[in-house]
């Protein structure tokens, strides 16, 4: 069984969408990545930090899914990372109203011994120095290091971010962030520039318009499944990343062909995540539902044009 090491925020989220408010619920990039990856046959661990205000029953949600939590530090008297966001009517954009780093501000990640030889490492969106701190603890070069990031780190920690980008194999990033990172409007040019910075694979996420995978001259596109109702997009990007990393860790096959499937698995899982608030939908998700929707994906994207 492949080993997957995840680092990312484990958080309290407070979300407002045009359809309602969530109050303080379980969130965080590490949480969404871990839940998505738990759909695969992998041995996974989440490395993160919370305060002692973080309820045990939330931790249990990880352990019930065989996610190793020995790398989740619980700081006595500390407060858990808190994020509050409000979506605009089109659900494609949101405003971050509050980010309280709390215990995350002084976080020194400690990778559990058993995961220092992970096959796949997924560095969730966090301060690049934390991402570097995780890479530095690995005893063996993983088959694949994937990292996610966002405009906040580009604006505030450019040099630190570049040091991470040099060392990874796959960067997952959204379209606007890819443009900001490279100063290129064309996503093709942006992906080529990112590959020059280090990662040989680039995944550009386009929200409800799907995701693109780039590697040298190869490009693959996966649509997002058209859904009747999108309730809350929070965590869709992380769920996508968790599905992508989970599939690759399960198969231990990091060829371009395998990555194409990984992109489809990521998109498939993200399509569930957005159906309810926060992690709610991912917590009830069954294998049969996942498989049924994969079939829908197949039907959506297959055609048979005969060229003469
Ligand atoms: P996504 O919707 O995929 O961009 O991810 C949303 C999740 O990212 C929420 O659950 C937040 O708790 C978490 N998050 C938001 N901002 C940050 C940040 N600066 N660092 C780490 N995690 C964050």
């Amino acid at each position: 069984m492949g080993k997957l090491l995840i680092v990312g925020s484990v958080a309290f989220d407070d979300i407002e969408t045009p359809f309602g408010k969530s109050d303080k619920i379980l969130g965080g990039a590490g949480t969404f990545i871990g839940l998505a990856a738990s759909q695969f046959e992998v041995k996974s661990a989440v490395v993160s930090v919370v305060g002692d205000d973080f309820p045990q029953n939330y931790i249990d949600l990880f352990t019930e899914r065989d996610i190793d939590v020995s790398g989740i530090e619980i700081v006595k008297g500390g407060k858990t990372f808190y994020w509050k966001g409000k979506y605009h009517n089109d659900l494609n954009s949101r405003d971050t109203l509050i980010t309280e780093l709390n215990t995350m501000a002084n976080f020194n990640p400690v990778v559990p011994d058993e995961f220092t030889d992970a096959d796949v490492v997924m560095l969730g969106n966090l301060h690049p120095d934390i991402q570097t701190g995780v890479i530095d603890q690995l005893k063996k070069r993983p088959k694949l290091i994937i990292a996610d990031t966002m405009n906040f780190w580009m604006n505030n920690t450019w040099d630190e971010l570049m040091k991470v980008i040099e060392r990874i194999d796959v960067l997952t990033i959204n379209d606007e962030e890819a443009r900001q990172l490279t100063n290129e409007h064309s996503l093709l040019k942006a992906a080529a520039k990112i590959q020059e910075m280090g990662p040989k694979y680039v995944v550009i996420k386009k929200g409800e318009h799907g995701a693109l995978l780039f590697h040298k001259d190869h490009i693959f596109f996966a649509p997002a499944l058209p859904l009747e109702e999108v309730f809350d997009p929070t965590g869709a990007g992380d769920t996508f990343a968790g599905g992508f990393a989970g599939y690759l860790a399960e198969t231990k096959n990091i060829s371009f062909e395998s990555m194409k499937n990984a992109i489809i698995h990521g998109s498939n899982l993200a399509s569930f995540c957005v159906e309810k608030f926060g992690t709610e939908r991912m917590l009830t998700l069954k294998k049969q539902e996942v498989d049924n929707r994969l079939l829908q994906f197949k039907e959506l994207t297959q055609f048979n044009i005969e060229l003469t």
Side-chain angles (χ1 to χ4, degrees):
M1 200 186 285
K3 272 192 209 173
L4 171 65
L5 173 65
I6 298 160
V7 59
S9 51
V10 170
F12 288 132
D13 283 355
D14 197 340
I15 305 158
E16 194 177 328
T17 77
F19 313 111
K21 290 181 179 187
S22 71
D23 289 329
K24 238 177 163 187
I25 53 172
L26 172 65
T31 305
F32 284 105
I33 295 169
L35 291 178
S38 72
Q39 291 291 332
F40 299 88
E41 293 289 315
V42 288
K43 207 167 157 40
S44 66
V46 173
V47 170
S48 195
V49 64
V50 293
D52 57 10
D53 56 350
F54 197 71
Q56 182 60 39
N57 62 319
Y58 279 177
I59 302 265
D60 295 342
L61 293 172
F62 290 85
T63 43
E64 282 161 13
R65 287 164 179 78
D66 285 334
I67 302 168
D68 186 309
V69 294
S70 59
I72 301 184
E73 185 189 344
I74 301 172
V75 178
K76 268 217 155 122
K79 280 176 78 181
T80 300
F81 178 91
Y82 172 69
W83 177 79
K84 182 171 175 142
K86 183 175 175 179
Y87 286 86
H88 301 161
N89 277 342
D90 65 359
L91 286 176
N92 276 331
S93 51
R94 71 182 177 206
D95 294 325
T96 289
L97 304 180
I98 305 174
T99 302
E100 284 177 13
L101 291 177
N102 298 328
T103 47
M104 193 60 83
N106 301 309
F107 177 44
N108 281 317
V110 178
V111 176
D113 252 359
E114 212 196 329
F115 285 85
T116 51
D117 64 349
D119 299 288
V120 175
V121 175
M122 177 70 230
L123 305 169
N125 168 35
L126 273 179
H127 193 300
D129 281 349
I130 300 180
Q131 297 177 318
T132 294
V134 167
I135 302 177
D136 285 343
Q137 290 173 54
L138 303 174
K139 296 208 175 107
K140 200 182 102 191
R141 179 73 172 85
K143 273 179 177 291
L144 205 67
I145 304 180
I146 309 161
D148 191 19
T149 192
M150 69 188 291
N151 48 5
F152 182 80
W153 307 118
M154 292 177 210
N155 297 335
N156 298 298
T157 56
W158 178 266
D159 292 345
E160 295 88 334
L161 180 62
M162 286 305 121
K163 284 188 190 140
V164 175
I165 288 182
E166 273 169 23
R167 297 174 72 184
I168 60 171
D169 304 296
V170 186
L171 181 69
T172 67
I173 192 168
N174 78 29
D175 42 2
E176 279 319 304
E177 291 157 354
R179 291 185 171 116
Q180 181 177 344
L181 187 64
T182 58
N183 254 326
E184 292 287 356
H185 185 78
S186 149
L187 294 180
L188 271 170
K189 288 186 183 166
K193 265 200 179 171
I194 295 171
Q195 288 177 71
E196 283 168 18
M197 295 174 181
K200 293 287 158 270
Y201 299 85
V202 180
V203 176
I204 299 186
K205 302 173 283 183
K206 291 160 62 71
E208 65 172 331
H209 303 298
L212 289 156
L213 167 68
F214 296 88
H215 173 56
K216 296 182 182 162
D217 295 335
H218 305 286
I219 309 179
F220 178 69
F221 171 67
L225 199 69
L227 295 170
E228 265 179 41
E229 273 184 275
V230 175
F231 193 76
D232 169 22
T234 308
D238 305 312
T239 301
F240 171 88
F244 180 77
Y247 176 79
L248 294 172
E250 178 184 284
T251 58
K252 296 194 199 178
N253 177 349
I254 56 158
S255 65
F256 189 75
E257 285 306 307
S258 176
M259 281 199 200
K260 286 183 182 178
N261 289 347
I263 293 262
I264 297 287
H265 278 286
S267 303
N268 193 40
L269 291 174
S271 79
F272 288 102
C273 175
V274 301
E275 288 181 339
K276 291 198 173 161
F277 262 134
T279 56
E280 210 181 321
R281 185 67 181 96
M282 298 312 287
L283 292 172
T284 58
L285 191 57
K286 302 272 173 310
K287 183 167 184 335
Q288 195 55 52
E289 295 174 306
V290 176
D291 289 352
N292 288 346
R293 208 168 267 189
L294 276 175
L295 274 179
Q296 277 178 264
F297 255 98
K298 236 180 159 171
E299 278 164 25
L300 180 71
T301 50
Q302 275 189 350
F303 53 87
N304 202 358
I305 296 177
E306 304 238 344
L307 291 176
T308 49

